[in-house]
Amino acid sequence: MDGLNYLKSEIVIVGLGYVGLPLALRLASIFNVIGFDISVERINKLKAGDDETKEVQKSELQNTKKLKLTSKINHIKNKKIYIVAVPTPVDKKNRPDLSYLENACRIVGNCIDIGAIVIFESTVYPGVTEELCGPIIEKESGLQFNKDFYLGYSPERVNPGDKEHTVEKITKIVSASNPKILKIIGEIYRT
């Protein structure tokens, strides 16, 4: 698949918290986006226009035509672009809890098809994308990293509640598992 076809694909955002939801809405101004969250309650509230994080307004949720919200895994199968934006909280000893990320990787791994790009926005320490996420996705999908699917990273830079430095106003940094995929990810975020 060439870069232009990727840019015509639906984008799946996995995790609709204070990072994923604003990103999903911003991307939905240009692309067809599927916002996925495992919480049925969260999806139902968002469909009703209620964002508990207060990052987006009711009118933003109700006026977007290119964003579908779902908690059903079968709705996100066989897409080409996945952006994972799940929490990575720290415990009392400041150790990151990567369980949400690991679960998201299992979900994505069971959904992707050959040629998929998985981009991580979750805050992680160096090496997690390739050393933890990639192997989980490989195991769940039966696909080979950097041959059948690709990884990218764009660290979230959102300050919760900051209405001045919103997702469309901050400079995003992107990386990828190879130069071709980096160009595609760059084009997505450039929008």
Side-chain angles (χ1 to χ4, degrees):
M1 180 178 263
D2 65 25
L4 184 58
N5 286 330
Y6 275 103
L7 297 176
K8 292 179 182 177
S9 300
E10 284 181 306
I11 297 174
V12 176
I13 307 290
V14 178
L16 296 176
Y18 74 89
V19 173
L21 182 60
L23 181 62
L25 282 166
R26 181 65 189 110
L27 289 172
S29 68
I30 297 162
F31 303 101
N32 290 316
V33 175
I34 301 172
F36 172 83
D37 200 287
I38 60 171
S39 170
V40 175
E41 180 182 359
R42 173 86 171 133
I43 293 298
N44 289 339
K45 285 183 178 182
L46 291 174
K47 285 180 177 179
D50 179 22
D51 172 28
E52 293 172 333
T53 70
K54 306 294 184 221
E55 290 297 318
V56 300
Q57 303 298 313
K58 185 175 189 171
S59 60
E60 291 176 274
L61 284 167
Q62 294 178 329
N63 291 331
T64 183
K65 301 205 182 340
K66 291 186 170 192
L67 175 63
K68 296 181 220 167
L69 300 169
T70 188
S71 61
K72 296 181 179 174
I73 292 175
N74 63 324
H75 291 172
I76 64 169
K77 285 189 176 274
N78 303 316
K79 305 304 178 189
K80 290 298 180 191
I81 300 168
Y82 295 82
I83 300 176
V84 177
V86 296
T88 51
V90 293
D91 65 17
K92 292 179 182 181
K93 294 183 180 180
N94 288 325
R95 293 179 300 209
D97 174 359
L98 300 178
S99 62
Y100 298 101
L101 186 62
E102 291 167 343
N103 189 47
C105 289
R106 283 189 284 277
I107 290 169
V108 169
N110 280 290
C111 290
I112 66 170
D113 202 359
I114 291 177
I117 300 171
V118 184
I119 305 163
F120 293 91
E121 286 248 355
S122 299
T123 303
V124 294
Y125 53 86
V128 168
T129 301
E130 288 185 342
E131 295 167 16
L132 177 75
C133 300
I136 292 171
I137 294 169
E138 275 186 325
K139 179 182 177 192
E140 296 297 324
S141 67
L143 300 175
Q144 187 177 349
F145 168 55
N146 247 0
K147 178 177 180 252
D148 301 320
F149 73 93
Y150 308 94
L151 298 178
Y153 186 67
S154 181
E156 61 97 349
R157 301 184 64 214
V158 175
N159 184 20
D162 186 343
K163 300 298 181 193
E164 184 178 337
H165 302 99
T166 56
V167 69
E168 63 271 0
K169 294 178 185 171
I170 57 174
T171 301
K172 291 292 290 175
I173 298 166
V174 297
S175 64
S177 56
N178 72 45
K180 177 184 171 191
I181 299 306
L182 178 62
K183 185 175 180 184
I184 294 166
I185 293 172
E187 287 300 318
I188 292 167
Y189 281 95
R190 189 172 288 116
T191 65

